[in-house]
Amino acid sequence: MQATGGGGGRRLGSEMSIWPTVEPLLGRVQKPARYIGGEDGFVIPTHSPSKVAWLLVYPDAYEVGLPNQGLQILYEILNERPDALAERAYAPWLDMEQQMRSNGVPLFSVDGHQPASAFDLVAFNLSAELVYTNLLNCIDLAGVPVRSKDRRPEHPLIAAGGHCTFNPEPVADFVDFFVIGDGEEVVAEITTVIGDWKRSGRTEGSRENVLRELSKVPGVYVPSMYEVEYEGPALKAVTPRYPDVPATVEKRTIADLAAWPYPKSQLVPLTEVVHDRLNVEIFRGCTRGCRFCQAGMITRPVRERPAAQVRQMVSDGLARTGYDEVSLTSLSSADYSGIDDVVKGIIDDPACSGQVGVSLPSLRVDAFTVGIAAEIQRVRRTGLTFAPEGGTWRLRQVISKLIREEDLYGAVESAFSQGWQRVKLYFLIGLPTETMEDVEGIAELARNCAALGRTHTKKVSVTASVGGFVPKPQTPFQWFGQDTVGSLKSKVGRLRDVTKRDRGVNLRWHDPQATLAEGIASRGDRRIGTVIEDVWRSGGTFQEWGEYFDIARWEGAMERAGLSIDWYVHRDRDESEVLPWDHISAGLHKDFLWGDWQDALAAAGTEDCRWTPCYDCGACTGFGIEHVVASNVPPAGGSQGTGQDLSTGGSVPVRLLTKAGAS
Amino acid sequence: MSSSALGVQAAGVSPRVARFRYNKLGKIRFTSHRDVGRMWERALRKISLAVAYTSGFSPRPRIAFGFALPTGAESVAEYVDIALALDQAHELSEIPAQLTPALPDGLEVTGGVILEAGSPALQASVTSSTWHLTVPPSAGLAERLHALLAETSFEIEVERKGSSVLADIRPGVLAAELNDGQMNDESVITCDLSAKGTRPGDFLRALGADPLEARILRTQQWIDHEGGRAEPLAPGAYFAPPDTSGGPEPFAEVVKTVFREDSIDVGPEPVPVFAAAPSPARHAGRT
């Protein structure tokens, strides 16, 4: 039995609820609604010995974590199972943490207000490296020793999933097991293994056994089952301790998104959060092959949700939640086959009364996309965002973001001519082979866009938003030495100088010091764990939040650990080097990635593999699945940001899977 | 967009205004006034109640709340006025029962009426609220209360817009009495505080009680009515059964509320105002 709804404090049934100890703290903190649960769609599951209890934690503030779709999908899937239950927790803000620590209140679920100790496992979503110190803080607040080796059978298992787990090593000493890739299917297998452990009474020494069993589940990585050897500063090998532990852990991939129409009951928060709207995932994966993009590399192949299911999820979701805005989410939503029909269908749905807004994150840079945007923003044409990423065509070939200047200008011209006044352009600096000429290209693009805008409106505003590039594991740029803080600062300075007198051009930039800290955590090995623990112990939580970030903590921790920032962050790796994540596989062949890296250095782009012959990156073939797309003809017009001429449509090398193709 | 079904003002017709009374009890008391505004907007869309929208660039449903309840306080006397589109097809008497399940747990609609055209807005007519302030027993509380009531002026430091200022809270205290130890060794102060006058938390601090230790419940809001006072909508007041041809709809004479074109916002966020009258007093003639 699960109670649905039910936010009233007095209605909580479970005898273990610690609400009476939480409630008195809430008058003393900011935004107490972060801690009360009660969202539309939440459940208060009943704990029982026959159910494996998962506490799903997003280790950042509630308003950032609540909308996370991955966490919500698993929350529903687990609560539908007879042998499992799931509740949620978020990192308490600093004021609440202080109240909890001084009153002896542990990390708790917001659903039934159960202490973390009531759960068999505490599973974290790791979406960004800078939350690693919050991960440690949450483990500590849960009453669990932060290092795996110090834990005992009475402690819940600590698990983690999410994009960061494609290099799990920096947090390998703190997490008992990782889930690599899509979680929808594997949580069932994990539940079975942990259920056996729970029924066995979690006896002395059983923790090692359950972890050994978990290590045999495909997609699960148990770091304590691996021996790590070093040779001086270099990593020599990561090898399994036992013959039945896999030498390489392959990611999990669900073949058919249509089989997983989750979340069915997206949580509607009681208080304001980011992305406060209905979110419907229209496809997973991306074929664009942008070399800097870890998400695009590790989520291959493309799996589209059938259009009919998208429409159903949208109309059901709007009716259930009362939202008046829906976001069609993916890594590049304009690439969805027939996106214009889906968008028109939502807007023209009589049930929506013309009051529903549609948003597409990650707009593609072309006029076709702007046409769709015009369709969905009939009224409020405030701002549009494009991401050319690189300032010159040469550099965009290096990163394989094959947007021609005419694509960008066509998109911007189209936007201004249709009533938009503000355009935002995202760029990366510190990219491989980048010269000051490429950096100045950013200013030139922004300047030309503003000039285009002035032919339509006097109030034109073009914002160039500039972030420092952090090379990510499992991408062609994993061998690249990250740019230094000094160099990034001088590039930002140069951009400030050259845009100073440009009317209508604004410049924004990301703190290069935060880029450095992210770089330390991004490609670190297990020795970086000491650094993360040091930063956490010195009080460095919420490192994604500028007001709490301090690079001195990270630099000091590296020095105390005797580790070189230059070696970990700024050094180019060579082909033979053992990388800390070599035993984790996203399906991409290492020689494909290396070849792509060499192509990058030669400024040769890789075309979108949806329309061109297979490069055999390994993602499809390795898992025996293929891109699942509904249309075999590229939408006509322009290059669609592929650098190819797709104006006449084209033939497609991918074989279409009937299930998704039948829309 | 303005020609949509909800944009009644496109037709140049004044919409009918429904006033609902609701409770805010339990965990949900930790949500803010603004949060509650969003909950109502979603609930109206969930039950497809055709609401009049504002015209202009960014149409919003025409909803107006009364003086905000402080975050953390509970209430059995919250109100909201909603302009209904003329073509809304709901059976009016069924709306309150449909709204409660569409709202989050802890918000419960307890009444609703159609207001007479030209009735004043909640924020323009509510003069005071009655509060039950439940505090841990404290020696000398009764004496401090009597002493405060004996003064004509009582200044304390209060927080306003993030800074500390000296404010006279006494004029805003219309009446107060203490019931000691009636419930589990707790003291209950029943007080009437004027709207825009004294906040319950400040009143407690003036009495040397910690507002964070208190349970704050609003039991009534009051408007002036025929020389006495009345609630904007008595508990249990519901829409008349369908087909009240002609005459004023029930309770419409009790309150007159006006929707101005610009009165749609939920009000400022840290909402200061709590008003109240002394002990649960006479209702101005309705049952």
Side-chain angles (χ1 to χ4, degrees), chain B residues 122-152:
Chain B
L122 285 164
Q123 296 209 17
S125 55
V126 169
T127 53
S128 65
S129 296
T130 302
W131 301 87
H132 282 194
L133 312 175
T134 307
V135 295
S138 144
L141 182 61
E143 290 72 20
R144 290 196 295 278
L145 177 60
H146 289 138
L148 186 148
L149 292 176
E151 301 288 338
T152 55

Short mmCIF file of all heavy atoms in Angstrom, two decimals, chain B residues 122-152:
data_model
loop_
_atom_site.label_atom_id
_atom_site.label_comp_id
_atom_site.label_asym_id
_atom_site.label_seq_id
_atom_site.Cartn_x
_atom_site.Cartn_y
_atom_site.Cartn_z
N LEU B 122 -10.43 41.84 -1.66
CA LEU B 122 -10.08 41.37 -0.32
C LEU B 122 -9.10 42.31 0.36
O LEU B 122 -9.26 42.68 1.52
CB LEU B 122 -9.47 39.97 -0.41
CG LEU B 122 -10.46 38.83 -0.68
CD1 LEU B 122 -9.71 37.59 -1.12
CD2 LEU B 122 -11.29 38.54 0.57
N GLN B 123 -8.07 42.70 -0.40
CA GLN B 123 -7.03 43.52 0.24
C GLN B 123 -7.56 44.90 0.59
O GLN B 123 -6.98 45.61 1.39
CB GLN B 123 -5.80 43.61 -0.66
CG GLN B 123 -5.16 42.25 -0.85
CD GLN B 123 -3.67 42.32 -1.09
OE1 GLN B 123 -3.04 43.32 -0.81
NE2 GLN B 123 -3.10 41.23 -1.57
N ALA B 124 -8.67 45.30 -0.06
CA ALA B 124 -9.23 46.62 0.22
C ALA B 124 -10.26 46.56 1.34
O ALA B 124 -10.65 47.60 1.87
CB ALA B 124 -9.87 47.19 -1.05
N SER B 125 -10.72 45.37 1.69
CA SER B 125 -11.82 45.33 2.64
C SER B 125 -11.50 44.63 3.95
O SER B 125 -12.12 44.90 4.97
CB SER B 125 -13.04 44.67 1.99
OG SER B 125 -12.70 43.40 1.48
N VAL B 126 -10.53 43.72 3.94
CA VAL B 126 -10.23 43.03 5.20
C VAL B 126 -9.54 43.99 6.16
O VAL B 126 -8.59 44.69 5.80
CB VAL B 126 -9.33 41.80 4.94
CG1 VAL B 126 -8.79 41.24 6.25
CG2 VAL B 126 -10.10 40.73 4.18
N THR B 127 -10.05 44.08 7.37
CA THR B 127 -9.50 45.03 8.34
C THR B 127 -8.69 44.35 9.44
O THR B 127 -7.80 44.95 10.02
CB THR B 127 -10.63 45.83 8.99
OG1 THR B 127 -11.58 44.90 9.53
CG2 THR B 127 -11.33 46.71 7.96
N SER B 128 -9.03 43.11 9.77
CA SER B 128 -8.31 42.46 10.85
C SER B 128 -8.45 40.95 10.74
O SER B 128 -9.27 40.45 9.96
CB SER B 128 -8.84 42.93 12.21
OG SER B 128 -10.18 42.51 12.37
N SER B 129 -7.62 40.23 11.51
CA SER B 129 -7.72 38.76 11.57
C SER B 129 -7.67 38.32 13.02
O SER B 129 -7.06 38.98 13.87
CB SER B 129 -6.55 38.09 10.84
OG SER B 129 -6.57 38.36 9.48
N THR B 130 -8.29 37.19 13.27
CA THR B 130 -8.18 36.55 14.58
C THR B 130 -7.16 35.41 14.48
O THR B 130 -7.18 34.65 13.51
CB THR B 130 -9.53 36.00 15.04
OG1 THR B 130 -10.46 37.07 15.08
CG2 THR B 130 -9.43 35.35 16.40
N TRP B 131 -6.29 35.35 15.46
CA TRP B 131 -5.23 34.34 15.47
C TRP B 131 -5.28 33.52 16.75
O TRP B 131 -5.60 34.05 17.81
CB TRP B 131 -3.85 35.01 15.41
CG TRP B 131 -3.64 35.86 14.21
CD1 TRP B 131 -3.97 37.18 14.07
CD2 TRP B 131 -3.05 35.47 12.96
NE1 TRP B 131 -3.62 37.65 12.83
CE2 TRP B 131 -3.06 36.61 12.12
CE3 TRP B 131 -2.52 34.28 12.48
CZ2 TRP B 131 -2.55 36.57 10.82
CZ3 TRP B 131 -2.02 34.24 11.19
CH2 TRP B 131 -2.04 35.39 10.38
N HIS B 132 -4.94 32.26 16.62
CA HIS B 132 -4.65 31.42 17.79
C HIS B 132 -3.15 31.17 17.80
O HIS B 132 -2.62 30.55 16.87
CB HIS B 132 -5.39 30.09 17.71
CG HIS B 132 -6.84 30.20 18.08
ND1 HIS B 132 -7.62 29.11 18.35
CD2 HIS B 132 -7.63 31.29 18.23
CE1 HIS B 132 -8.85 29.52 18.63
NE2 HIS B 132 -8.89 30.82 18.57
N LEU B 133 -2.49 31.68 18.82
CA LEU B 133 -1.04 31.52 18.92
C LEU B 133 -0.76 30.55 20.07
O LEU B 133 -1.02 30.88 21.23
CB LEU B 133 -0.38 32.88 19.19
CG LEU B 133 -0.84 34.02 18.26
CD1 LEU B 133 -0.23 35.34 18.70
CD2 LEU B 133 -0.52 33.72 16.81
N THR B 134 -0.28 29.37 19.72
CA THR B 134 -0.04 28.35 20.73
C THR B 134 1.44 28.35 21.08
O THR B 134 2.28 28.15 20.19
CB THR B 134 -0.47 26.97 20.21
OG1 THR B 134 -1.81 27.07 19.74
CG2 THR B 134 -0.38 25.92 21.29
N VAL B 135 1.74 28.58 22.36
CA VAL B 135 3.14 28.70 22.77
C VAL B 135 3.40 27.80 23.98
O VAL B 135 2.48 27.44 24.70
CB VAL B 135 3.49 30.17 23.14
CG1 VAL B 135 3.39 31.06 21.91
CG2 VAL B 135 2.60 30.68 24.24
N PRO B 136 4.66 27.42 24.17
CA PRO B 136 4.99 26.65 25.37
C PRO B 136 4.69 27.50 26.60
O PRO B 136 4.76 28.73 26.53
CB PRO B 136 6.49 26.38 25.25
CG PRO B 136 6.84 26.71 23.84
CD PRO B 136 5.84 27.69 23.35
N PRO B 137 4.36 26.87 27.73
CA PRO B 137 4.06 27.65 28.93
C PRO B 137 5.27 28.48 29.33
O PRO B 137 6.41 28.05 29.17
CB PRO B 137 3.74 26.59 29.98
CG PRO B 137 4.20 25.31 29.42
CD PRO B 137 4.30 25.43 27.95
N SER B 138 4.99 29.67 29.80
CA SER B 138 6.09 30.56 30.15
C SER B 138 5.65 31.40 31.34
O SER B 138 4.58 32.02 31.31
CB SER B 138 6.44 31.43 28.94
OG SER B 138 6.80 32.71 29.34
N ALA B 139 6.48 31.39 32.39
CA ALA B 139 6.12 32.13 33.60
C ALA B 139 6.00 33.62 33.28
O ALA B 139 6.85 34.17 32.58
CB ALA B 139 7.18 31.90 34.67
N GLY B 140 4.96 34.21 33.76
CA GLY B 140 4.82 35.65 33.59
C GLY B 140 4.21 36.07 32.28
O GLY B 140 4.09 37.27 31.99
N LEU B 141 3.81 35.12 31.46
CA LEU B 141 3.25 35.48 30.15
C LEU B 141 1.99 36.32 30.32
O LEU B 141 1.79 37.33 29.64
CB LEU B 141 2.97 34.21 29.34
CG LEU B 141 2.42 34.44 27.93
CD1 LEU B 141 3.39 35.23 27.07
CD2 LEU B 141 2.10 33.10 27.24
N ALA B 142 1.12 35.87 31.25
CA ALA B 142 -0.14 36.60 31.47
C ALA B 142 0.15 38.04 31.90
O ALA B 142 -0.47 38.99 31.41
CB ALA B 142 -0.99 35.88 32.50
N GLU B 143 1.13 38.19 32.80
CA GLU B 143 1.46 39.52 33.28
C GLU B 143 1.99 40.39 32.14
O GLU B 143 1.64 41.56 32.01
CB GLU B 143 2.51 39.45 34.40
CG GLU B 143 2.01 38.86 35.72
CD GLU B 143 1.76 37.36 35.65
OE1 GLU B 143 2.32 36.69 34.75
OE2 GLU B 143 1.00 36.85 36.50
N ARG B 144 2.83 39.79 31.31
CA ARG B 144 3.38 40.57 30.20
C ARG B 144 2.28 40.98 29.23
O ARG B 144 2.28 42.08 28.69
CB ARG B 144 4.48 39.77 29.48
CG ARG B 144 5.74 39.59 30.31
CD ARG B 144 6.94 39.15 29.47
NE ARG B 144 6.76 37.83 28.89
CZ ARG B 144 7.00 36.69 29.55
NH1 ARG B 144 7.42 36.71 30.82
NH2 ARG B 144 6.83 35.52 28.97
N LEU B 145 1.32 40.07 29.03
CA LEU B 145 0.22 40.40 28.13
C LEU B 145 -0.61 41.56 28.69
O LEU B 145 -0.94 42.51 27.99
CB LEU B 145 -0.66 39.16 27.90
CG LEU B 145 -1.89 39.38 27.03
CD1 LEU B 145 -1.50 39.85 25.63
CD2 LEU B 145 -2.71 38.09 26.91
N HIS B 146 -0.92 41.46 29.99
CA HIS B 146 -1.71 42.53 30.61
C HIS B 146 -0.96 43.86 30.56
O HIS B 146 -1.54 44.90 30.29
CB HIS B 146 -2.06 42.16 32.06
CG HIS B 146 -3.07 41.06 32.11
ND1 HIS B 146 -2.99 40.01 33.00
CD2 HIS B 146 -4.17 40.84 31.35
CE1 HIS B 146 -4.01 39.18 32.79
NE2 HIS B 146 -4.74 39.67 31.79
N ALA B 147 0.32 43.79 30.81
CA ALA B 147 1.11 45.02 30.80
C ALA B 147 1.09 45.64 29.41
O ALA B 147 0.95 46.85 29.24
CB ALA B 147 2.55 44.71 31.23
N LEU B 148 1.23 44.77 28.39
CA LEU B 148 1.24 45.29 27.02
C LEU B 148 -0.10 45.93 26.69
O LEU B 148 -0.17 47.03 26.12
CB LEU B 148 1.55 44.16 26.03
CG LEU B 148 1.73 44.56 24.56
CD1 LEU B 148 2.75 43.64 23.89
CD2 LEU B 148 0.43 44.53 23.78
N LEU B 149 -1.19 45.26 27.08
CA LEU B 149 -2.51 45.79 26.75
C LEU B 149 -2.80 47.08 27.51
O LEU B 149 -3.62 47.90 27.07
CB LEU B 149 -3.59 44.74 27.04
CG LEU B 149 -3.55 43.51 26.12
CD1 LEU B 149 -4.59 42.48 26.55
CD2 LEU B 149 -3.76 43.89 24.66
N ALA B 150 -2.11 47.26 28.65
CA ALA B 150 -2.34 48.47 29.43
C ALA B 150 -1.68 49.69 28.81
O ALA B 150 -2.00 50.83 29.15
CB ALA B 150 -1.83 48.27 30.86
N GLU B 151 -0.72 49.45 27.91
CA GLU B 151 -0.03 50.57 27.28
C GLU B 151 -0.79 51.03 26.04
O GLU B 151 -1.55 50.27 25.45
CB GLU B 151 1.38 50.13 26.84
CG GLU B 151 2.26 49.63 27.96
CD GLU B 151 2.72 50.76 28.88
OE1 GLU B 151 2.71 51.92 28.44
OE2 GLU B 151 3.08 50.46 30.03
N THR B 152 -0.53 52.26 25.65
CA THR B 152 -1.09 52.72 24.38
C THR B 152 -0.05 52.63 23.26
O THR B 152 -0.37 52.76 22.09
CB THR B 152 -1.56 54.18 24.48
OG1 THR B 152 -0.47 54.97 24.93
CG2 THR B 152 -2.75 54.29 25.43
#
